[in-house]
């Protein structure tokens, strides 16, 4: 099968970008002819003026449409797999694919069609003001990067999409990364038969030996929805425990400045390769996912389980579909530093239970989250999209 992957990468390599690359490699391993067409938001950050212009083109971007038309006509893909479209592809990519009647699949990594910043979060709390289509609230609160002009551009694109149902017509199948994500889109009125669930996968990894070094590990973007400040408050209740922070993001400078006396117990390791990440997970004793937003999946938790480490996570979004309370880890109320500290402390004090939790997580990965079984699901979704597109083309001709 010839697959074209369409994506807008983040300025700072995020979880979506990792997943896109991993899926492309896994598809190639299974013999598919995979091509990628990726724009990088980093270019917009290097040139604010250009960034402002391209953001305003999210509703209609003739250059992006022309580029995509050329690639589609030359490549003639069997299916186009869309990931993130904003800001550099925007709605023009979907209009182009619809006009060309190309079988199209989109992975819903986030809540972009329902929420301008794609998080369902405002000022650290749940927000559903825009999910039914009134995106004026995104402008009112400057939800995207705290910039009203950028928020207005996104709100305009989402308003047009909702009015025309462009995404729902142009995309033949949506891949929801968790049941939680599927439910949010169902609640917003998306057609149930187009919403398939396929989580992420990880390659098999060597399990950890022994109880670890007594440290706890956080891996992810340092952004508001990830809850790192909650974890740092929990750390004050865990005397003598070291926290390793892997990743980077917009909140890093503020977090480091606010550490005070706890600075000696926090090690910022930056962005690491997957091999280095797995090594640090095996060295640590507990992985913590303290998200305060509606986490769509929880890739870090899956990586920890692959290494045989237990996870303490917020009971939010798709995380409860991975972290099973008292089986492979603990779930705690989000933004509850005391509960987080209590469960982490319990695992550190009960190494045998922690080892059993980690083993249960590793078993779950082996059963349901390895590349082969994951790609089988994706291939079946591709075939469903191809059948739907053929039916659509036949109806239009007749």
């Amino acid at each position: 099968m010839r697959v074209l992957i369409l994506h807008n990468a983040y300025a700072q390599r995020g979880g979506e970008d990792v997943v896109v690359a991993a899926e492309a490699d896994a598809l190639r391993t299974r013999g598919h002819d995979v091509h990628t067409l990726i724009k990088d938001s980093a270019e917009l950050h290097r040139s604010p003026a250009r960034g402002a212009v391209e953001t305003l083109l999210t509703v209609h971007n003739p250059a992006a449409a022309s580029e995509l038309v050329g690639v589609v006509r030359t490549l003639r893909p069997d299916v186009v797999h869309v990931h993130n479209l904003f800001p550099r592809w925007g709605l023009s990519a979907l209009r182009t694919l619809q006009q060309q009647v190309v079988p199209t699949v989109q992975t819903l990594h986030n809540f972009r069609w329902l929420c301008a910043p794609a998080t369902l979060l405002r000022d650290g709390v749940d927000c559903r003001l825009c999910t039914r289509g009134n995106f004026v609230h995104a402008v009112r609160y400057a939800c995207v990067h705290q910039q009203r002009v950028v928020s207005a551009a996104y709100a305009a694109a989402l308003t047009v999409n909702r009015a025309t149902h462009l995404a729902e017509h142009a995309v033949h199948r949506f891949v929801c990364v968790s049941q939680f994500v599927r439910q949010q889109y169902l609640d917003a009125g998306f057609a149930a038969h187009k919403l398939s669930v396929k989580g992420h996968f990880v390659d098999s990894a060597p399990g950890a030996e022994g109880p670890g070094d007594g440290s706890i590990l956080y891996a992810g973007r340092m952004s508001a929805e990830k809850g790192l400040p909650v974890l740092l408050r929990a750390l004050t209740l865990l005397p003598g425990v070291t926290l390793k922070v892997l990743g980077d993001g917009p909140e890093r400078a503020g977090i480091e400045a606010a550490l005070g006396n706890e600075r000696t117990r926090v090690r910022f390791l930056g962005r690491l390769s997957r091999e280095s990440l797995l090594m640090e997970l095996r060295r640590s004793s507990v992985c913590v996912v303290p998200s305060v937003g509606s986490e769509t999946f929880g890739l870090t938790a899956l990586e920890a389980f692959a290494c045989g480490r237990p996870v303490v996570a917020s009971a939010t979004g798709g995380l409860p579909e991975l972290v099973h309370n008292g089986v492979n880890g603990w779930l705690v109320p989000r933004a509850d530093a005391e509960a987080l500290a209590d469960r982490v402390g319990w695992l550190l004090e009960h190494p045998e239970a922690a080892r059993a939790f980690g083993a249960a997580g590793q078993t779950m990965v082996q059963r349901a989250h390895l590349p082969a079984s994951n790609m089988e699901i994706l291939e079946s979704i591709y075939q469903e999209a191809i059948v739907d597109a053929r039916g659509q083309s036949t109806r239009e001709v007749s």
Side-chain angles (χ1 to χ4, degrees):
M1 188 182 299
R2 185 175 295 113
V3 181
L4 173 62
I5 292 176
L6 191 68
H7 181 49
N8 187 125
Y10 286 133
Q12 292 175 326
R13 186 172 171 83
E16 288 182 19
D17 304 333
V18 172
V19 168
V20 171
E23 284 192 353
D25 288 343
L27 286 167
R28 290 187 183 103
T29 297
R30 292 176 68 83
H32 298 288
D33 182 13
V34 180
H35 301 257
T36 59
L37 189 55
I38 298 177
K39 292 184 180 293
D40 192 339
S41 291
E43 297 176 20
L44 306 188
H45 287 254
R46 287 192 290 268
S47 174
R50 180 180 175 188
V53 170
E54 288 217 26
T55 298
L56 293 172
L57 293 174
T58 51
V59 174
H60 181 57
N61 189 332
S66 177
E67 180 181 359
L68 182 55
V69 166
V71 172
V72 167
R73 288 178 176 173
T74 301
L75 186 63
R76 300 178 65 83
D78 297 301
V79 65
V80 173
H81 190 158
V82 175
H83 291 273
N84 185 35
L85 289 173
F86 284 70
R88 302 195 64 202
W89 290 109
L91 300 187
S92 294
L94 292 184
R95 288 195 196 94
T96 298
L97 295 172
Q98 184 180 33
Q99 290 163 2
Q100 299 292 317
V101 197
V102 182
T104 301
V105 170
Q106 182 180 17
T107 295
L108 298 172
H109 294 278
N110 53 40
F111 308 104
R112 179 72 72 199
W113 297 126
L114 314 180
C115 168
T119 61
L120 297 181
L121 194 71
R122 180 170 58 83
D123 296 333
V125 296
D126 280 341
C127 179
R128 298 293 193 278
L129 288 175
C130 296
T131 56
R132 284 294 176 177
N134 186 2
F135 296 99
V136 68
H137 303 289
V139 184
R140 176 185 177 188
Y141 295 108
C143 290
V144 184
H145 306 317
Q146 298 180 324
Q147 298 176 31
R148 190 157 277 111
V149 172
V150 175
S151 299
Y154 277 55
L158 296 177
T159 298
V160 169
N161 176 69
R162 187 60 63 95
T164 60
H165 299 282
L166 175 60
E168 294 156 85
H169 293 321
V171 178
H172 300 94
R173 283 293 184 275
F174 293 99
V175 179
C176 304
V177 299
S178 64
Q179 290 289 350
F180 176 80
V181 170
R182 185 175 190 271
Q183 190 61 53
Q184 305 314 301
Y185 280 91
L186 277 175
D187 292 346
F190 279 59
H193 77 278
K194 285 195 173 186
L195 297 169
S196 303
V197 176
K198 182 196 78 69
H200 300 320
F201 65 86
V202 292
D203 290 317
S204 183
E209 296 182 5
D213 60 9
S215 68
I216 59 179
L217 182 143
Y218 166 92
R221 274 175 54 82
M222 294 186 213
S223 52
E225 73 276 9
K226 295 300 185 179
L228 189 52
V230 178
L231 177 54
L232 294 175
R233 290 200 298 274
L235 188 66
T236 66
L237 305 174
L238 295 165
V241 175
T242 296
L243 167 64
K244 292 184 282 191
V245 178
L246 282 62
D248 209 338
E251 304 290 323
R252 177 169 179 169
I255 288 170
E256 290 196 64
L259 279 175
N261 294 334
E262 302 298 333
R263 182 67 180 85
T264 58
R265 293 202 287 142
V266 182
R267 295 175 54 206
F268 291 93
L269 302 181
R271 292 193 294 273
L272 301 180
S273 65
R274 182 175 187 269
E275 292 72 21
S276 297
L277 166 64
L278 297 181
M279 181 178 67
E280 291 297 341
L281 278 166
R282 287 193 290 270
R283 287 175 176 170
S284 305
S285 295
V286 180
C287 176
V288 185
V289 186
S291 299
V292 296
S294 296
E295 192 76 44
T296 56
F297 181 77
L299 185 59
T300 297
L302 200 63
E303 296 279 20
F305 290 146
C307 293
R309 286 305 183 204
V311 174
V312 178
S314 299
T316 180
L319 283 168
E321 297 172 37
L322 285 179
V323 182
H324 302 151
N325 216 25
V327 177
N328 56 20
W330 292 113
L331 293 167
V332 300
R334 59 180 168 181
D336 190 333
E338 290 76 15
L340 189 62
D342 178 76
R343 292 296 82 190
V344 170
W346 187 91
L347 284 169
L348 294 176
E349 292 168 4
H350 297 83
E352 289 302 319
R355 187 177 294 111
F357 281 19
Q362 198 165 36
T363 298
M364 182 187 72
V365 168
Q366 295 292 331
R367 288 177 177 172
H369 293 282
L370 292 180
S373 58
N374 192 276
M375 288 300 100
E376 287 175 4
I377 298 172
L378 185 58
E379 288 164 344
S380 69
I381 293 171
Y382 285 172
Q383 291 295 343
E384 290 172 2
I386 291 169
V387 170
D388 276 8
R390 285 174 181 166
Q392 175 186 337
S393 181
T394 301
R395 288 192 298 272
E396 291 177 356
V397 169
S398 62

